[in-house]
């Protein structure tokens, strides 16, 4: 058993939207055991830390990452041998953790094995909610084959660097969804529209028939989970919502009527603005193909307007970054972009309480309360006033705790004089 006491913290309560000073937090094993003022050290306390002047908040959650996307050209990443694909994912995962993201939802590529390695402490990584391979129709956003290829059955489901698998037809998408769920996917990702980084599909394309989309949703529901859908346009978003998906990824081209439909259905949206900024500024130099570069501004220039409208209408939005290759280092800059549009508090909620709700972990992740998982950040400053303390590569974090264990700790401890609580 491990016991840590964190004293005199400025506790950031994101449910209330308030900073509460002078709070003590007791962590026992992987859970928060108690919160209050003047708490007595439990018998067996390992260490006590004085957080006076520092902010204590829940670990951040990124709801849209691709941890195996080690190259901005996804077609090249898809061809990597599995061993190399895994090895190249390790610094990506470590970087996320040390930026304060203690949980991430992988939107295609990351699998059960990586999630288990993170859980077992074999690698430095956030808690991973993997989708396995996203499902894409032939010629859809997950099909990285060139037009010149002979389109034989795709072997894309066998390589970890490939974020998707190509599958068509109601029976086959059912089988593919069951396969990914059996392999450990915690939710299913479906490509419901065209995309930027795939070679052949214009942004305005839709992905899958309604029968195929509904079959995928049915299979996820049978496993007591849900579907997340890549979708940009009003038509693609509307079809996905009507099919029963739970989260819309990106949504840059959404219009007000469709946004109202999203809200009425209780569907979440996970915008991902930073990736389009980076693809625009860095993509060509990092190897993004010309056919993809030509599509970036189709979604980038309207993304901020979409977030402003969704916020105004009260649509629930989670935090997502969706970065690729060397651009992963810009992950926390999504926080700054969001703050400029919706303010600090709603931005922080998108990466904590709302994100936990998306992951179906409300009350156990994204909060600091008794019984919650002890994913905690000790921050040099107040994120409600300056989001910059959470950007960069974690320089503003004095400590990062995941599952009750410090993965970064610059704090000075004193040994507890144990007293009976």
């Amino acid at each position: 058993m491990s016991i840590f006491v964190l004293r005199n913290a400025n506790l950031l309560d994101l449910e209330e939207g308030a900073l509460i000073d002078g709070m003590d937090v007791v962590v026992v094993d992987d859970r928060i055991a108690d919160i209050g003022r003047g708490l007595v050290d439990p018998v067996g306390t390992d260490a006590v830390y004085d957080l006076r002047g520092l902010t204590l908040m829940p670990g951040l959650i990124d709801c849209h990452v691709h941890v195996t996307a080690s190259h901005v050209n996804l077609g090249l990443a898809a061809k990597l041998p599995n061993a190399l694909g895994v090895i190249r994912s390790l610094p990506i995962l470590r970087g996320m953790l040390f930026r304060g993201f203690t949980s991430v939802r992988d939107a295609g590529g990351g699998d059960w094995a990586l999630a288990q390695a993170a859980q077992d402490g074999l690698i430095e990584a956030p808690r991973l909610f993997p989708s396995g391979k996203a499902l894409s129709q032939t010629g859809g956003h997950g099909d990285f084959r060139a037009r010149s290829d002979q389109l034989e059955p795709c072997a894309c489901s066998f390589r970890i660097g490939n974020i998707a698998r190509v599958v068509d037809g109601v029976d086959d998408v059912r089988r593919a969804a069951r396969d990914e769920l059996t392999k450990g996917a915690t939710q299913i990702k479906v490509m419901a529209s065209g995309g930027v980084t795939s070679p052949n599909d214009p942004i305005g394309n839709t992905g899958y028939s309604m029968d195929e989309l509904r079959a995928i949703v049915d299979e996820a529901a049978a496993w007591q989970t849900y579907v997340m859908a890549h979708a940009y346009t009003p038509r693609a978003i509307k079809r996905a919502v009507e099919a029963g998906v739970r989260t819309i990824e990106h949504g840059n081209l959404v219009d007000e009527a469709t946004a109202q439909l999203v809200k009425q259905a209780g569907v979440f949206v996970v915008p991902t603005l930073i990736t389009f900024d980076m693809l625009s500024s860095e993509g060509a130099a990092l190897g993004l193909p010309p056919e993809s570069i030509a599509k970036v501004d189709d979604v980038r220039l309207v993304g901020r307007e979409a977030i402003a409208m969704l916020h105004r209408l009260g649509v629930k939005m989670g935090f997502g970054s969706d970065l690729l290759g060397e651009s992963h280092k810009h992950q926390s800059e999504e926080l700054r972009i969001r703050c400029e549009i919706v303010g600090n508090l709603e931005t922080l909620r998108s990466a904590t309480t709302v994100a936990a709700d998306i992951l179906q972990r409300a009350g156990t992740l994204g909060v600091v309360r008794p019984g919650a998982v002890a994913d905690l950040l000790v921050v040099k400053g107040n994120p409600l006033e300056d989001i910059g303390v959470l950007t960069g590569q974690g320089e503003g974090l004095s400590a990062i705790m995941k599952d009750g264990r410090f993965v970064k700790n610059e704090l000075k401890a004193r040994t507890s004089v144990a007293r009976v609580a």
Side-chain angles (χ1 to χ4, degrees), residues 228-255:
M228 54 191 293
H230 163 105
Y232 285 112
T233 65
R235 182 168 179 243
I237 294 168
K238 183 174 184 289
R239 293 173 82 250
V241 171
E242 290 176 347
V245 306
R246 189 162 182 267
T247 74
I248 298 294
E249 309 301 305
H250 316 303
N252 297 50
L253 299 171
V254 65
D255 60 20

Side-chain angles (χ1 to χ4, degrees), residues 52-66:
R52 197 179 309 272
L54 299 171
T55 297
L56 182 67
M57 65 174 287
L60 299 171
I61 302 168
D62 191 329
C63 289
H64 194 120
V65 302
H66 294 285

Side-chain angles (χ1 to χ4, degrees), residues 295-349:
K295 294 189 279 186
V296 172
D297 280 349
D298 291 345
V299 293
R300 183 178 72 88
L301 299 176
V302 295
R304 286 164 170 79
E305 297 173 12
I307 286 185
M309 180 182 65
L310 292 165
H311 174 63
R312 173 171 57 82
L313 295 177
V315 175
K316 297 175 288 186
M317 288 184 283
F319 179 96
S321 58
D322 192 31
L323 290 158
L324 310 173
E326 292 88 339
S327 294
H328 276 107
K329 64 186 178 183
H330 301 294
Q331 182 182 23
S332 56
E333 286 303 309
E334 178 78 16
L335 293 166
R336 195 183 300 279
I337 295 173
R338 297 284 189 98
C339 283
E340 293 171 356
I341 305 168
V342 304
N344 290 34
L345 177 57
E346 289 308 313
T347 296
L348 291 166
R349 283 172 170 164

Side-chain angles (χ1 to χ4, degrees), residues 185-249:
T186 52
Q187 64 283 322
I188 293 294
K189 166 77 175 295
V190 62
M191 302 303 194
S193 82
V196 170
T197 53
S198 42
N200 301 321
D201 53 334
I203 295 294
N205 279 18
T206 55
Y208 286 124
S209 68
M210 290 301 294
D211 286 343
E212 288 168 316
L213 289 173
R214 290 189 176 106
I216 296 165
V217 169
D218 285 347
E219 293 304 322
W223 282 69
Q224 303 176 74
T225 187
Y226 65 93
V227 174
M228 54 191 293
H230 163 105
Y232 285 112
T233 65
R235 182 168 179 243
I237 294 168
K238 183 174 184 289
R239 293 173 82 250
V241 171
E242 290 176 347
V245 306
R246 189 162 182 267
T247 74
I248 298 294
E249 309 301 305

Side-chain angles (χ1 to χ4, degrees), residues 6 64 141 166 179 214 248 313-314 343 360:
L6 309 174
H64 194 120
H141 182 50
V166 176
D179 187 41
R214 290 189 176 106
I248 298 294
L313 295 177
Q360 300 179 316

